Amino acid sequence: SGMEWVSSRGGHGIWFACLLIAGLMIFGMGKTLTVKMCQAEGRAEYLFFSVTMTAEAFKLTVATFQWFRSQKDDGPRGHEVVDGRPALVGWYENGLYLIPALLFGFSNNMLFPILGLIDPGTLTMLWNLKIVWTAGLLRLFGRQLDMYQLAGVLCLTIAVFVSQASHLSKETAGDRNTVSEGDYKLGVVLCLVTVAVVSFANVFCEIVYKRTSANQHSQYMRLYASGVLVNGVCLLIHDGKQVLSGQIFSGWDLWVLAAVFMMGSSGFVVGMTFKHLDNIVLVFVDVVNMVMVSLISYVFFKLQLTIGFVAGVGLVAVSMWLYYVKGGEQDFGYQSVATEHHDDVFDELDAFDDLQLDDFEDDGNMVQTR
């Protein structure tokens, strides 16, 4: 059966596969939907830079814990040079992490104003254009795209155009009861710019990670520490008076806490999927999530499911199959797929490389790690 195939790919039981797939769906949809709920009309104002800074601090805590465990299990490593790659020492090598941190900080914080202008379904659709941007960037760095991947890029571009054509020309877009047509178009433009930025961030992050032979967790710690620094500086510049008056967490509620947790956890679940299951599972879960977010947006956020939008969803599914499944059979490894597949994911892809699931109870209540 299909689930037996899924479980056989990762070597774990079917209950573990089901639990991991459920986690992919929950965290995949949860990040966008919780941020959207934080932007709901009439809610108390909060400092969104404090949200992203806290999410980065959460990631830093997990990475630090993993680093301590790696030191205990493998012993401390020096600043050795391997295969001619430089050691992770000095201002230059450490300062490089500020660049992806700045780019990821921009993209993560832009989610808040964007979701104040457009619905989560539209955002999810437009976000898939990362494939197009990343394919172009990788081509600049010398990576070849086969015919399937090129067909996938073309199909995805058509899909996004088809899905948005009616929304941008008629009064059929989501959230039009609270957002004007001009604001909706602004949200789409901001989303397209943010997609370009996060695509460049993913590719540059891969380059930075592969520059050195340093312990992977020490690299994660540097990236997340840089993220805390970048978002903290932005918080002080943008909301300095509130911070100095002790209102850094003013307006926080359960939805904001949920957004922090989702933003901090989603990438780690993706990393576990690549380690224990298969990238094809992630592709199909992404398609399901896109459909589910669109349906949720239709019910709760006034997204109009036009024929064009539904056709666009179908074309996106086809394009992802062409690019990741058929094209991935040729020359793209798991890391390259992950680099193109999620915002802020490559920096978390190997976060569970040292995580071994030795015990898993069949009732699915507990997973124990080594």
Side-chain angles (χ1 to χ4, degrees):
S1 67
M3 287 309 301
E4 290 174 347
W5 177 85
V6 169
S7 61
S8 68
R9 297 291 291 179
H12 296 286
I14 188 172
W15 288 109
F16 172 74
C18 291
L19 184 64
L20 193 51
I21 291 173
L24 279 172
M25 296 184 66
I26 292 171
F27 288 106
M29 295 185 293
K31 178 179 177 180
T32 301
L33 294 175
T34 53
V35 172
K36 178 64 177 179
M37 291 304 300
C38 291
Q39 297 297 95
E41 187 178 12
R43 293 177 51 79
E45 293 187 3
Y46 60 95
L47 311 181
F48 60 81
F49 282 116
S50 68
V51 177
T52 50
M53 184 185 70
T54 306
E56 292 298 310
F58 173 72
K59 296 178 187 178
L60 177 59
T61 302
V62 175
T64 302
F65 173 75
Q66 291 287 347
W67 180 80
F68 276 114
R69 290 191 58 178
S70 69
Q71 296 295 295
K72 180 181 177 181
D73 295 340
D74 304 328
R77 297 174 57 184
H79 300 300
E80 70 271 24
V81 177
V82 178
D83 298 330
R85 290 180 292 171
L88 187 53
V89 294
W91 286 100
Y92 179 76
E93 294 297 333
N94 287 278
L96 286 175
Y97 289 86
L98 286 172
I99 298 177
L102 281 167
L103 298 173
F104 284 133
F106 175 85
S107 63
N108 288 332
N109 284 291
M110 283 301 294
L111 283 178
F112 294 89
I114 289 173
L115 284 170
L117 299 172
I118 63 177
D119 56 87
T122 301
L123 173 70
T124 304
M125 172 67 71
L126 295 174
W127 211 253
N128 286 299
L129 282 175
K130 285 183 300 179
I131 299 175
V132 178
W133 279 104
T134 307
L137 290 170
L138 292 176
R139 185 66 183 87
L140 290 177
F141 285 101
R143 294 194 185 180
Q144 298 295 323
L145 300 179
D146 61 40
M147 58 178 294
Y148 290 110
Q149 291 169 326
L150 290 172
V153 169
L154 177 61
C155 185
L156 179 60
T157 305
I158 296 173
V160 173
F161 177 79
V162 169
S163 70
Q164 294 303 303
S166 60
H167 282 188
L168 294 175
S169 60
K170 300 178 182 179
E171 293 293 324
T172 56
D175 283 355
R176 285 294 170 81
N177 57 328
T178 57
V179 177
S180 67
E181 181 179 359
D183 286 342
Y184 179 84
K185 291 180 178 179
L186 174 61
V188 170
V189 172
L190 291 177
C191 187
L192 295 176
V193 172
T194 304
V195 167
V197 171
V198 76
S199 300
F200 182 79
N202 284 330
V203 173
F204 189 83
C205 196
E206 177 178 356
I207 295 173
V208 172
Y209 275 170
K210 291 181 177 180
R211 272 184 58 84
T212 73
S213 59
N215 177 286
Q216 58 184 0
H217 303 297
S218 67
Q219 292 183 305
Y220 305 145
M221 290 167 60
R222 284 166 171 80
L223 180 65
Y224 298 143
S226 298
V228 172
L229 176 62
V230 167
N231 286 281
V233 170
C234 292
L235 178 64
L236 287 174
I237 294 175
H238 189 265
D239 305 298
K241 292 182 179 180
Q242 293 93 319
V243 173
L244 294 177
S245 61
Q247 301 179 30
I248 185 173
F249 298 116
S250 176
W252 278 45
D253 58 13
L254 290 178
W255 282 116
V256 176
L257 290 173
V260 170
F261 180 71
M262 292 294 179
M263 294 175 71
S265 302
S266 58
F268 292 119
V269 179
V270 173
M272 290 185 69
T273 302
F274 276 94
K275 179 174 179 61
H276 299 294
L277 293 180
D278 195 289
N279 71 92
I280 298 177
V281 175
L282 189 59
V283 171
F284 286 110
V285 169
D286 259 9
V287 173
V288 173
N289 283 350
M290 181 175 58
V291 174
M292 292 299 297
V293 169
S294 298
L295 292 176
I296 292 172
S297 297
Y298 171 76
V299 175
F300 295 103
F301 304 117
K302 304 297 187 298
L303 171 66
Q304 298 299 313
L305 296 179
T306 63
I307 295 177
F309 190 89
V310 174
V313 170
L315 288 172
V316 167
V318 172
S319 68
M320 294 178 73
W321 179 78
L322 286 170
Y323 192 88
Y324 288 115
V325 181
K326 295 298 294 183
E329 293 174 354
Q330 307 298 319
D331 57 0
F332 270 73
Y334 288 135
Q335 286 187 332
S336 295
V337 171
T339 302
E340 301 157 17
H341 202 59
H342 281 269
D343 58 311
D344 199 9
V345 160
F346 187 89
D347 54 313
E348 295 152 337
L349 175 60
D350 295 325
F352 283 85
D353 271 0
D354 294 332
L355 181 63
Q356 301 297 325
L357 295 159
D358 294 335
D359 301 296
F360 182 79
E361 295 187 357
D362 288 338
D363 58 5
N365 291 328
M366 180 174 65
V367 175
Q368 295 179 344
T369 59
R370 174 171 59 81

